[in-house]
mmCIF file of all heavy atoms in Angstrom:
data_model
loop_
_atom_site.group_PDB
_atom_site.id
_atom_site.type_symbol
_atom_site.label_atom_id
_atom_site.label_comp_id
_atom_site.label_asym_id
_atom_site.label_seq_id
_atom_site.Cartn_x
_atom_site.Cartn_y
_atom_site.Cartn_z
ATOM 1 N N LEU A 1 163.750 1.038 -45.358
ATOM 2 C CA LEU A 1 162.933 0.032 -46.034
ATOM 3 C C LEU A 1 163.469 -0.272 -47.435
ATOM 4 O O LEU A 1 163.289 -1.375 -47.941
ATOM 5 C CB LEU A 1 161.474 0.471 -46.105
ATOM 6 C CG LEU A 1 160.695 0.348 -44.803
ATOM 7 C CD1 LEU A 1 159.346 1.062 -44.914
ATOM 8 C CD2 LEU A 1 160.501 -1.107 -44.410
ATOM 9 N N ALA A 2 164.150 0.684 -48.042
ATOM 10 C CA ALA A 2 164.751 0.468 -49.362
ATOM 11 C C ALA A 2 165.892 -0.546 -49.288
ATOM 12 O O ALA A 2 166.368 -1.011 -50.323
ATOM 13 C CB ALA A 2 165.247 1.782 -49.950
ATOM 14 N N GLU A 3 166.291 -0.911 -48.074
ATOM 15 C CA GLU A 3 167.316 -1.935 -47.864
ATOM 16 C C GLU A 3 166.728 -3.174 -47.191
ATOM 17 O O GLU A 3 167.468 -4.023 -46.692
ATOM 18 C CB GLU A 3 168.443 -1.373 -46.999
ATOM 19 C CG GLU A 3 169.194 -0.250 -47.661
ATOM 20 C CD GLU A 3 170.245 0.379 -46.755
ATOM 21 O OE1 GLU A 3 170.357 -0.013 -45.574
ATOM 22 O OE2 GLU A 3 170.969 1.261 -47.247
ATOM 23 N N ASP A 4 165.408 -3.278 -47.167
ATOM 24 C CA ASP A 4 164.748 -4.407 -46.516
ATOM 25 C C ASP A 4 165.258 -5.723 -47.106
ATOM 26 O O ASP A 4 165.513 -5.813 -48.313
ATOM 27 C CB ASP A 4 163.231 -4.305 -46.709
ATOM 28 C CG ASP A 4 162.448 -5.200 -45.770
ATOM 29 O OD1 ASP A 4 162.337 -6.417 -46.061
ATOM 30 O OD2 ASP A 4 161.956 -4.690 -44.751
ATOM 31 N N GLU A 5 165.391 -6.719 -46.260
ATOM 32 C CA GLU A 5 165.887 -8.025 -46.722
ATOM 33 C C GLU A 5 164.916 -8.722 -47.662
ATOM 34 O O GLU A 5 165.309 -9.557 -48.464
ATOM 35 C CB GLU A 5 166.196 -8.933 -45.531
ATOM 36 C CG GLU A 5 164.976 -9.286 -44.712
ATOM 37 C CD GLU A 5 165.280 -10.051 -43.440
ATOM 38 O OE1 GLU A 5 166.324 -9.799 -42.832
ATOM 39 O OE2 GLU A 5 164.447 -10.893 -43.066
ATOM 40 N N ASP A 6 163.652 -8.348 -47.602
ATOM 41 C CA ASP A 6 162.627 -8.972 -48.439
ATOM 42 C C ASP A 6 162.514 -8.211 -49.763
ATOM 43 O O ASP A 6 162.144 -7.036 -49.789
ATOM 44 C CB ASP A 6 161.286 -8.968 -47.703
ATOM 45 C CG ASP A 6 160.226 -9.782 -48.397
ATOM 46 O OD1 ASP A 6 160.104 -9.690 -49.639
ATOM 47 O OD2 ASP A 6 159.499 -10.512 -47.704
ATOM 48 N N VAL A 7 162.816 -8.891 -50.849
ATOM 49 C CA VAL A 7 162.768 -8.268 -52.170
ATOM 50 C C VAL A 7 161.366 -7.747 -52.488
ATOM 51 O O VAL A 7 161.214 -6.754 -53.202
ATOM 52 C CB VAL A 7 163.290 -9.240 -53.257
ATOM 53 C CG1 VAL A 7 162.334 -10.393 -53.474
ATOM 54 C CG2 VAL A 7 163.560 -8.521 -54.555
ATOM 55 N N GLY A 8 160.332 -8.386 -51.940
ATOM 56 C CA GLY A 8 158.958 -7.938 -52.183
ATOM 57 C C GLY A 8 158.691 -6.553 -51.632
ATOM 58 O O GLY A 8 157.937 -5.777 -52.227
ATOM 59 N N VAL A 9 159.303 -6.222 -50.509
ATOM 60 C CA VAL A 9 159.147 -4.883 -49.925
ATOM 61 C C VAL A 9 159.813 -3.859 -50.834
ATOM 62 O O VAL A 9 159.218 -2.839 -51.187
ATOM 63 C CB VAL A 9 159.751 -4.826 -48.502
ATOM 64 C CG1 VAL A 9 159.757 -3.394 -47.970
ATOM 65 C CG2 VAL A 9 158.977 -5.739 -47.552
ATOM 66 N N ARG A 10 161.035 -4.147 -51.234
ATOM 67 C CA ARG A 10 161.768 -3.219 -52.096
ATOM 68 C C ARG A 10 161.071 -3.064 -53.445
ATOM 69 O O ARG A 10 160.965 -1.955 -53.991
ATOM 70 C CB ARG A 10 163.219 -3.676 -52.269
ATOM 71 C CG ARG A 10 163.958 -3.744 -50.942
ATOM 72 C CD ARG A 10 165.448 -3.967 -51.065
ATOM 73 N NE ARG A 10 165.906 -4.911 -52.053
ATOM 74 C CZ ARG A 10 166.064 -6.230 -51.857
ATOM 75 N NH1 ARG A 10 165.764 -6.779 -50.684
ATOM 76 N NH2 ARG A 10 166.526 -7.005 -52.827
ATOM 77 N N HIS A 11 160.552 -4.163 -53.978
ATOM 78 C CA HIS A 11 159.837 -4.118 -55.259
ATOM 79 C C HIS A 11 158.563 -3.287 -55.139
ATOM 80 O O HIS A 11 158.249 -2.480 -56.025
ATOM 81 C CB HIS A 11 159.510 -5.539 -55.730
ATOM 82 C CG HIS A 11 158.868 -5.581 -57.070
ATOM 83 N ND1 HIS A 11 157.505 -5.679 -57.223
ATOM 84 C CD2 HIS A 11 159.385 -5.515 -58.319
ATOM 85 C CE1 HIS A 11 157.216 -5.683 -58.505
ATOM 86 N NE2 HIS A 11 158.338 -5.589 -59.195
ATOM 87 N N GLY A 12 157.822 -3.479 -54.043
ATOM 88 C CA GLY A 12 156.607 -2.693 -53.818
ATOM 89 C C GLY A 12 156.898 -1.201 -53.780
ATOM 90 O O GLY A 12 156.156 -0.392 -54.333
ATOM 91 N N MET A 13 157.996 -0.840 -53.143
ATOM 92 C CA MET A 13 158.388 0.567 -53.080
ATOM 93 C C MET A 13 158.790 1.083 -54.461
ATOM 94 O O MET A 13 158.461 2.209 -54.824
ATOM 95 C CB MET A 13 159.563 0.741 -52.115
ATOM 96 C CG MET A 13 159.215 0.465 -50.673
ATOM 97 S SD MET A 13 160.665 0.569 -49.605
ATOM 98 C CE MET A 13 160.946 2.341 -49.621
ATOM 99 N N ALA A 14 159.510 0.245 -55.205
ATOM 100 C CA ALA A 14 159.988 0.645 -56.528
ATOM 101 C C ALA A 14 158.834 0.890 -57.494
ATOM 102 O O ALA A 14 158.957 1.708 -58.411
ATOM 103 C CB ALA A 14 160.934 -0.425 -57.083
ATOM 104 N N GLN A 15 157.712 0.228 -57.305
ATOM 105 C CA GLN A 15 156.545 0.375 -58.178
ATOM 106 C C GLN A 15 155.697 1.598 -57.853
ATOM 107 O O GLN A 15 154.892 2.017 -58.667
ATOM 108 C CB GLN A 15 155.623 -0.837 -58.029
ATOM 109 C CG GLN A 15 156.100 -2.081 -58.654
ATOM 110 C CD GLN A 15 155.047 -3.165 -58.505
ATOM 111 O OE1 GLN A 15 154.585 -3.448 -57.400
ATOM 112 N NE2 GLN A 15 154.676 -3.769 -59.609
ATOM 113 N N ASP A 16 155.849 2.142 -56.668
ATOM 114 C CA ASP A 16 154.959 3.185 -56.168
ATOM 115 C C ASP A 16 155.404 4.566 -56.653
ATOM 116 O O ASP A 16 156.481 5.036 -56.287
ATOM 117 C CB ASP A 16 154.936 3.132 -54.638
ATOM 118 C CG ASP A 16 153.898 4.041 -54.017
ATOM 119 O OD1 ASP A 16 153.314 4.895 -54.726
ATOM 120 O OD2 ASP A 16 153.661 3.895 -52.806
ATOM 121 N N ILE A 17 154.566 5.229 -57.436
ATOM 122 C CA ILE A 17 154.936 6.554 -57.951
ATOM 123 C C ILE A 17 154.980 7.611 -56.843
ATOM 124 O O ILE A 17 155.470 8.712 -57.068
ATOM 125 C CB ILE A 17 154.006 7.027 -59.098
ATOM 126 C CG1 ILE A 17 152.575 7.160 -58.617
ATOM 127 C CG2 ILE A 17 154.132 6.131 -60.307
ATOM 128 C CD1 ILE A 17 151.661 7.869 -59.599
ATOM 129 N N ASN A 18 154.502 7.280 -55.659
ATOM 130 C CA ASN A 18 154.576 8.209 -54.534
ATOM 131 C C ASN A 18 155.864 8.062 -53.736
ATOM 132 O O ASN A 18 156.108 8.833 -52.812
ATOM 133 C CB ASN A 18 153.361 8.030 -53.616
ATOM 134 C CG ASN A 18 152.083 8.431 -54.315
ATOM 135 O OD1 ASN A 18 151.987 9.517 -54.871
ATOM 136 N ND2 ASN A 18 151.114 7.541 -54.330
ATOM 137 N N THR A 19 156.671 7.071 -54.078
ATOM 138 C CA THR A 19 157.963 6.911 -53.414
ATOM 139 C C THR A 19 158.844 8.089 -53.818
ATOM 140 O O THR A 19 158.941 8.407 -54.998
ATOM 141 C CB THR A 19 158.622 5.576 -53.836
ATOM 142 O OG1 THR A 19 157.764 4.499 -53.439
ATOM 143 C CG2 THR A 19 159.977 5.392 -53.182
ATOM 144 N N PRO A 20 159.475 8.753 -52.846
ATOM 145 C CA PRO A 20 160.328 9.899 -53.176
ATOM 146 C C PRO A 20 161.442 9.532 -54.171
ATOM 147 O O PRO A 20 161.952 8.407 -54.159
ATOM 148 C CB PRO A 20 160.927 10.306 -51.826
ATOM 149 C CG PRO A 20 159.937 9.803 -50.816
ATOM 150 C CD PRO A 20 159.394 8.532 -51.401
ATOM 151 N N ILE A 21 161.811 10.487 -55.002
ATOM 152 C CA ILE A 21 162.828 10.286 -56.038
ATOM 153 C C ILE A 21 164.126 9.731 -55.446
ATOM 154 O O ILE A 21 164.709 8.801 -56.000
ATOM 155 C CB ILE A 21 163.109 11.614 -56.801
ATOM 156 C CG1 ILE A 21 161.845 12.114 -57.501
ATOM 157 C CG2 ILE A 21 164.268 11.450 -57.775
ATOM 158 C CD1 ILE A 21 161.389 11.321 -58.680
ATOM 159 N N ALA A 22 164.582 10.286 -54.331
ATOM 160 C CA ALA A 22 165.846 9.835 -53.731
ATOM 161 C C ALA A 22 165.781 8.356 -53.360
ATOM 162 O O ALA A 22 166.756 7.618 -53.520
ATOM 163 C CB ALA A 22 166.191 10.674 -52.509
ATOM 164 N N VAL A 23 164.627 7.902 -52.892
ATOM 165 C CA VAL A 23 164.462 6.490 -52.530
ATOM 166 C C VAL A 23 164.423 5.644 -53.793
ATOM 167 O O VAL A 23 165.041 4.571 -53.860
ATOM 168 C CB VAL A 23 163.194 6.283 -51.658
ATOM 169 C CG1 VAL A 23 162.991 4.821 -51.334
ATOM 170 C CG2 VAL A 23 163.288 7.111 -50.378
ATOM 171 N N LEU A 24 163.726 6.124 -54.829
ATOM 172 C CA LEU A 24 163.691 5.400 -56.106
ATOM 173 C C LEU A 24 165.087 5.296 -56.714
ATOM 174 O O LEU A 24 165.452 4.254 -57.264
ATOM 175 C CB LEU A 24 162.729 6.083 -57.085
ATOM 176 C CG LEU A 24 161.245 5.915 -56.783
ATOM 177 C CD1 LEU A 24 160.413 6.851 -57.654
ATOM 178 C CD2 LEU A 24 160.809 4.471 -56.944
ATOM 179 N N GLN A 25 165.862 6.346 -56.583
ATOM 180 C CA GLN A 25 167.232 6.310 -57.110
ATOM 181 C C GLN A 25 168.065 5.267 -56.362
ATOM 182 O O GLN A 25 168.873 4.570 -56.963
ATOM 183 C CB GLN A 25 167.869 7.698 -57.024
ATOM 184 C CG GLN A 25 167.268 8.652 -58.035
ATOM 185 C CD GLN A 25 167.687 10.095 -57.835
ATOM 186 O OE1 GLN A 25 168.023 10.530 -56.736
ATOM 187 N NE2 GLN A 25 167.647 10.857 -58.926
ATOM 188 N N LYS A 26 167.845 5.175 -55.063
ATOM 189 C CA LYS A 26 168.535 4.142 -54.281
ATOM 190 C C LYS A 26 168.108 2.755 -54.759
ATOM 191 O O LYS A 26 168.932 1.860 -54.944
ATOM 192 C CB LYS A 26 168.243 4.326 -52.795
ATOM 193 C CG LYS A 26 168.929 3.324 -51.903
ATOM 194 C CD LYS A 26 168.687 3.636 -50.445
ATOM 195 C CE LYS A 26 169.515 2.698 -49.588
ATOM 196 N NZ LYS A 26 169.593 3.151 -48.210
ATOM 197 N N LEU A 27 166.805 2.582 -54.971
ATOM 198 C CA LEU A 27 166.279 1.296 -55.437
ATOM 199 C C LEU A 27 166.755 0.979 -56.857
ATOM 200 O O LEU A 27 166.869 -0.188 -57.228
ATOM 201 C CB LEU A 27 164.749 1.283 -55.354
ATOM 202 C CG LEU A 27 164.188 1.284 -53.933
ATOM 203 C CD1 LEU A 27 162.695 1.617 -53.954
ATOM 204 C CD2 LEU A 27 164.431 -0.047 -53.242
ATOM 205 N N ALA A 28 167.051 2.001 -57.634
ATOM 206 C CA ALA A 28 167.538 1.793 -59.004
ATOM 207 C C ALA A 28 168.939 1.185 -59.027
ATOM 208 O O ALA A 28 169.397 0.728 -60.072
ATOM 209 C CB ALA A 28 167.514 3.111 -59.776
ATOM 210 N N SER A 29 169.592 1.150 -57.878
ATOM 211 C CA SER A 29 170.900 0.492 -57.797
ATOM 212 C C SER A 29 170.825 -0.757 -56.914
ATOM 213 O O SER A 29 171.844 -1.259 -56.446
ATOM 214 C CB SER A 29 171.965 1.470 -57.278
ATOM 215 O OG SER A 29 171.663 1.859 -55.955
ATOM 216 N N ASP A 30 169.621 -1.273 -56.719
ATOM 217 C CA ASP A 30 169.411 -2.472 -55.903
ATOM 218 C C ASP A 30 170.127 -3.671 -56.518
ATOM 219 O O ASP A 30 170.285 -3.751 -57.742
ATOM 220 C CB ASP A 30 167.902 -2.766 -55.797
ATOM 221 C CG ASP A 30 167.557 -3.769 -54.714
ATOM 222 O OD1 ASP A 30 167.589 -4.989 -55.001
ATOM 223 O OD2 ASP A 30 167.277 -3.332 -53.590
ATOM 224 N N GLU A 31 170.529 -4.598 -55.679
ATOM 225 C CA GLU A 31 171.216 -5.808 -56.166
ATOM 226 C C GLU A 31 170.289 -6.704 -56.983
ATOM 227 O O GLU A 31 170.736 -7.480 -57.813
ATOM 228 C CB GLU A 31 171.786 -6.603 -54.982
ATOM 229 C CG GLU A 31 170.710 -7.128 -54.052
ATOM 230 C CD GLU A 31 171.235 -7.769 -52.784
ATOM 231 O OE1 GLU A 31 172.250 -7.305 -52.270
ATOM 232 O OE2 GLU A 31 170.601 -8.726 -52.326
ATOM 233 N N ASN A 32 168.982 -6.566 -56.774
ATOM 234 C CA ASN A 32 168.008 -7.393 -57.469
ATOM 235 C C ASN A 32 167.536 -6.689 -58.750
ATOM 236 O O ASN A 32 167.040 -5.563 -58.697
ATOM 237 C CB ASN A 32 166.829 -7.684 -56.535
ATOM 238 C CG ASN A 32 165.807 -8.599 -57.151
ATOM 239 O OD1 ASN A 32 165.049 -8.197 -58.027
ATOM 240 N ND2 ASN A 32 165.791 -9.843 -56.704
ATOM 241 N N GLY A 33 167.668 -7.361 -59.873
ATOM 242 C CA GLY A 33 167.283 -6.783 -61.156
ATOM 243 C C GLY A 33 165.815 -6.438 -61.263
ATOM 244 O O GLY A 33 165.439 -5.474 -61.928
ATOM 245 N N TRP A 34 164.975 -7.229 -60.631
ATOM 246 C CA TRP A 34 163.524 -6.995 -60.639
ATOM 247 C C TRP A 34 163.216 -5.658 -59.972
ATOM 248 O O TRP A 34 162.443 -4.862 -60.490
ATOM 249 C CB TRP A 34 162.873 -8.162 -59.910
ATOM 250 C CG TRP A 34 161.397 -8.275 -59.943
ATOM 251 C CD1 TRP A 34 160.567 -8.142 -61.014
ATOM 252 C CD2 TRP A 34 160.556 -8.599 -58.832
ATOM 253 N NE1 TRP A 34 159.261 -8.369 -60.646
ATOM 254 C CE2 TRP A 34 159.233 -8.659 -59.300
ATOM 255 C CE3 TRP A 34 160.794 -8.862 -57.498
ATOM 256 C CZ2 TRP A 34 158.159 -8.948 -58.479
ATOM 257 C CZ3 TRP A 34 159.720 -9.164 -56.675
ATOM 258 C CH2 TRP A 34 158.414 -9.201 -57.169
ATOM 259 N N VAL A 35 163.857 -5.412 -58.845
ATOM 260 C CA VAL A 35 163.675 -4.148 -58.115
ATOM 261 C C VAL A 35 164.246 -2.992 -58.930
ATOM 262 O O VAL A 35 163.592 -1.956 -59.093
ATOM 263 C CB VAL A 35 164.331 -4.219 -56.716
ATOM 264 C CG1 VAL A 35 164.299 -2.861 -56.026
ATOM 265 C CG2 VAL A 35 163.659 -5.282 -55.855
ATOM 266 N N ARG A 36 165.467 -3.173 -59.429
ATOM 267 C CA ARG A 36 166.117 -2.126 -60.248
ATOM 268 C C ARG A 36 165.237 -1.733 -61.425
ATOM 269 O O ARG A 36 165.024 -0.557 -61.691
ATOM 270 C CB ARG A 36 167.461 -2.608 -60.787
ATOM 271 C CG ARG A 36 168.627 -2.441 -59.883
ATOM 272 C CD ARG A 36 169.958 -2.626 -60.597
ATOM 273 N NE ARG A 36 170.013 -3.728 -61.540
ATOM 274 C CZ ARG A 36 170.359 -4.978 -61.235
ATOM 275 N NH1 ARG A 36 170.661 -5.302 -60.000
ATOM 276 N NH2 ARG A 36 170.393 -5.908 -62.178
ATOM 277 N N GLY A 37 164.729 -2.743 -62.124
ATOM 278 C CA GLY A 37 163.892 -2.490 -63.298
ATOM 279 C C GLY A 37 162.644 -1.694 -62.966
ATOM 280 O O GLY A 37 162.290 -0.754 -63.688
ATOM 281 N N GLU A 38 161.983 -2.062 -61.883
ATOM 282 C CA GLU A 38 160.770 -1.327 -61.475
ATOM 283 C C GLU A 38 161.105 0.100 -61.068
ATOM 284 O O GLU A 38 160.371 1.026 -61.388
ATOM 285 C CB GLU A 38 160.055 -2.043 -60.326
ATOM 286 C CG GLU A 38 159.281 -3.264 -60.747
ATOM 287 C CD GLU A 38 158.224 -3.007 -61.802
ATOM 288 O OE1 GLU A 38 157.528 -1.971 -61.755
ATOM 289 O OE2 GLU A 38 158.086 -3.852 -62.702
ATOM 290 N N ALA A 39 162.214 0.267 -60.367
ATOM 291 C CA ALA A 39 162.619 1.614 -59.953
ATOM 292 C C ALA A 39 162.890 2.479 -61.187
ATOM 293 O O ALA A 39 162.461 3.638 -61.240
ATOM 294 C CB ALA A 39 163.842 1.547 -59.045
ATOM 295 N N TYR A 40 163.582 1.917 -62.169
ATOM 296 C CA TYR A 40 163.850 2.660 -63.413
ATOM 297 C C TYR A 40 162.548 3.028 -64.118
ATOM 298 O O TYR A 40 162.392 4.154 -64.602
ATOM 299 C CB TYR A 40 164.743 1.856 -64.365
ATOM 300 C CG TYR A 40 166.213 1.952 -64.041
ATOM 301 C CD1 TYR A 40 166.933 0.823 -63.693
ATOM 302 C CD2 TYR A 40 166.887 3.179 -64.099
ATOM 303 C CE1 TYR A 40 168.292 0.895 -63.394
ATOM 304 C CE2 TYR A 40 168.236 3.268 -63.813
ATOM 305 C CZ TYR A 40 168.930 2.124 -63.462
ATOM 306 O OH TYR A 40 170.262 2.214 -63.176
ATOM 307 N N LYS A 41 161.617 2.073 -64.200
ATOM 308 C CA LYS A 41 160.324 2.355 -64.855
ATOM 309 C C LYS A 41 159.585 3.477 -64.135
ATOM 310 O O LYS A 41 159.031 4.371 -64.774
ATOM 311 C CB LYS A 41 159.441 1.103 -64.857
ATOM 312 C CG LYS A 41 159.794 0.074 -65.882
ATOM 313 C CD LYS A 41 158.705 -0.986 -65.914
ATOM 314 C CE LYS A 41 159.299 -2.365 -65.909
ATOM 315 N NZ LYS A 41 158.298 -3.405 -65.771
ATOM 316 N N THR A 42 159.573 3.422 -62.810
ATOM 317 C CA THR A 42 158.861 4.442 -62.039
ATOM 318 C C THR A 42 159.534 5.794 -62.195
ATOM 319 O O THR A 42 158.854 6.817 -62.369
ATOM 320 C CB THR A 42 158.771 4.029 -60.548
ATOM 321 O OG1 THR A 42 158.128 2.751 -60.476
ATOM 322 C CG2 THR A 42 157.960 5.028 -59.743
ATOM 323 N N LEU A 43 160.857 5.813 -62.163
ATOM 324 C CA LEU A 43 161.574 7.073 -62.381
ATOM 325 C C LEU A 43 161.280 7.635 -63.773
ATOM 326 O O LEU A 43 161.090 8.844 -63.942
ATOM 327 C CB LEU A 43 163.081 6.864 -62.200
ATOM 328 C CG LEU A 43 163.557 6.740 -60.753
ATOM 329 C CD1 LEU A 43 164.972 6.183 -60.698
ATOM 330 C CD2 LEU A 43 163.461 8.081 -60.039
ATOM 331 N N GLU A 44 161.196 6.754 -64.770
ATOM 332 C CA GLU A 44 160.892 7.186 -66.132
ATOM 333 C C GLU A 44 159.476 7.776 -66.210
ATOM 334 O O GLU A 44 159.261 8.818 -66.834
ATOM 335 C CB GLU A 44 161.020 6.008 -67.094
ATOM 336 C CG GLU A 44 160.843 6.402 -68.540
ATOM 337 C CD GLU A 44 161.050 5.223 -69.493
ATOM 338 O OE1 GLU A 44 161.777 4.277 -69.139
ATOM 339 O OE2 GLU A 44 160.473 5.275 -70.590
ATOM 340 N N ILE A 45 158.532 7.115 -65.562
ATOM 341 C CA ILE A 45 157.147 7.629 -65.536
ATOM 342 C C ILE A 45 157.120 9.013 -64.909
ATOM 343 O O ILE A 45 156.494 9.937 -65.436
ATOM 344 C CB ILE A 45 156.220 6.666 -64.765
ATOM 345 C CG1 ILE A 45 155.991 5.386 -65.565
ATOM 346 C CG2 ILE A 45 154.892 7.332 -64.406
ATOM 347 C CD1 ILE A 45 155.364 4.254 -64.770
ATOM 348 N N LEU A 46 157.805 9.163 -63.781
ATOM 349 C CA LEU A 46 157.817 10.451 -63.089
ATOM 350 C C LEU A 46 158.515 11.524 -63.914
ATOM 351 O O LEU A 46 158.073 12.674 -63.951
ATOM 352 C CB LEU A 46 158.471 10.307 -61.713
ATOM 353 C CG LEU A 46 157.678 9.458 -60.716
ATOM 354 C CD1 LEU A 46 158.484 9.213 -59.457
ATOM 355 C CD2 LEU A 46 156.343 10.107 -60.390
#
């Protein structure tokens, strides 16, 4: 799902503090800046 074609799915995962760290790290290198930014914020919160 971290590779889903829909940016909204990836963004939703990146925002969720229950998303496992390894998945958030994958999302932190997403091609979409919006997703990357949310993943970084969530990783920072955690």
Side-chain angles (χ1 to χ4, degrees):
L1 284 169
E3 295 176 356
D4 196 280
E5 64 187 34
D6 189 317
V7 70
V9 172
R10 300 190 319 272
H11 184 262
M13 293 176 71
Q15 286 184 307
D16 188 349
I17 62 169
N18 294 309
T19 299
I21 299 289
V23 178
L24 287 169
Q25 288 170 334
K26 181 175 186 166
L27 291 166
S29 64
D30 194 273
E31 64 187 35
N32 183 286
W34 189 46
V35 173
R36 275 194 318 271
E38 284 303 320
Y40 278 118
K41 283 189 227 173
T42 303
L43 284 165
E44 185 177 334
I45 289 167
L46 293 172

